[in-house]
Amino acid sequence: ELEVQANRLAHYLRSKGVGARSFVGLCVERSSMLVVAILAILKAGAAYVPIEASYPQERINFILEDSGISFLLAELDTVSQVSACDKEIVILENVASELENYSTVPVETRILPQHPAYVIYTSTGKPKGCVVTHKNVIRLFKSTEEWFNFSRNDVWTLFHSYAFDFSVWELWGALLHGGKVVIVPDWTRKSPQEF
């Protein structure tokens, strides 16, 4: 299901002109749609720029202006936070039925190791965007592989904000090794007892 949904959204993004070396803003809640959207952006050949809806409006507006995004994905619950965006904003719930018409076959995209995978903005002082390449992400897992012996039996938690670099470890560790990723709800993340 994840593959089918991500492929459809990737084809949709390509039909909107998203491609290699594009930057796509992403402002969604913590859910399976977050994973679908990230995969779709990467499958389309673009890099994702995560924008937490809970950020102060000034920070959101700065990221929208500074990041060079060509497109933005949001949800009904988050779109008001990114309304200052001057690029096309697509609300995922509004295109859900339209996506059914797109192919479930993977998009043919040539992604090179040096292509951007995502952009994370620093959390202190004036935000600075750090572009991370596909090569950097793969190196992270290759260099730690023998320490942990990851496998499909592992269960990972997506605990951190997807706008924080450590989320890459949590999400891609599970997906790369065929494991399970549990998306920890926001209210659970904020309560050690609940977690």
Side-chain angles (χ1 to χ4, degrees):
E1 285 180 36
L2 179 62
E3 178 76 358
V4 164
Q5 290 179 34
N7 287 340
R8 284 181 169 151
L9 183 55
H11 280 286
Y12 175 82
L13 291 171
R14 291 299 292 268
S15 76
K16 294 287 192 175
V18 172
R21 300 185 191 173
S22 299
F23 293 96
V24 176
L26 183 61
C27 186
V28 297
E29 298 291 341
R30 298 172 66 81
S31 69
S32 59
M33 183 48 70
L34 168 65
V35 182
V36 168
I38 289 174
L39 278 172
I41 292 166
L42 293 171
K43 283 172 171 279
Y48 67 97
V49 180
I51 304 167
E52 280 279 4
S54 62
Y55 281 167
Q57 195 62 56
E58 183 180 336
R59 180 179 172 85
I60 291 173
N61 293 347
F62 176 81
I63 293 171
L64 290 172
E65 185 179 320
D66 183 70
S67 63
I69 61 171
S70 58
F71 200 77
L72 182 85
L73 295 176
E75 293 174 313
L76 290 169
D77 290 341
T78 62
V79 70
S80 64
Q81 295 301 104
V82 290
S83 59
C85 183
D86 63 354
K87 304 298 184 215
E88 183 176 358
I89 300 173
V90 169
I91 300 171
L92 290 166
E93 294 95 334
N94 293 351
V95 297
S97 60
E98 184 182 346
L99 292 177
E100 297 292 322
N101 300 321
Y102 284 84
S103 175
T104 61
V105 175
V107 175
E108 289 186 27
T109 304
R110 186 166 185 231
I111 299 172
L112 299 176
Q114 65 270 23
H115 284 171
Y118 62 91
V119 180
I120 296 284
Y121 275 78
T122 57
S123 57
T124 57
K126 183 177 180 179
K128 295 177 198 72
C130 178
V131 179
V132 180
T133 66
H134 289 272
K135 179 181 177 179
N136 295 133
V137 176
I138 294 300
R139 188 187 67 200
L140 169 68
F141 289 102
K142 287 288 184 193
S143 66
T144 57
E145 197 169 41
E146 68 179 54
W147 298 349
F148 299 107
N149 297 311
F150 300 120
S151 78
R152 63 184 182 88
N153 298 317
D154 294 327
V155 178
W156 301 65
T157 56
L158 181 55
F159 181 86
H160 293 87
S161 163
Y162 70 101
F164 180 55
D165 210 28
F166 199 75
S167 68
V168 173
W169 172 264
E170 297 169 334
L171 176 62
W172 292 105
L175 295 179
L176 180 63
H177 297 95
K180 177 196 239 180
V181 63
V182 177
I183 302 168
V184 181
D186 205 37
W187 57 270
T188 303
R189 287 189 323 128
K190 295 175 180 174
S191 167
Q193 295 81 11
E194 291 294 329
F195 181 63

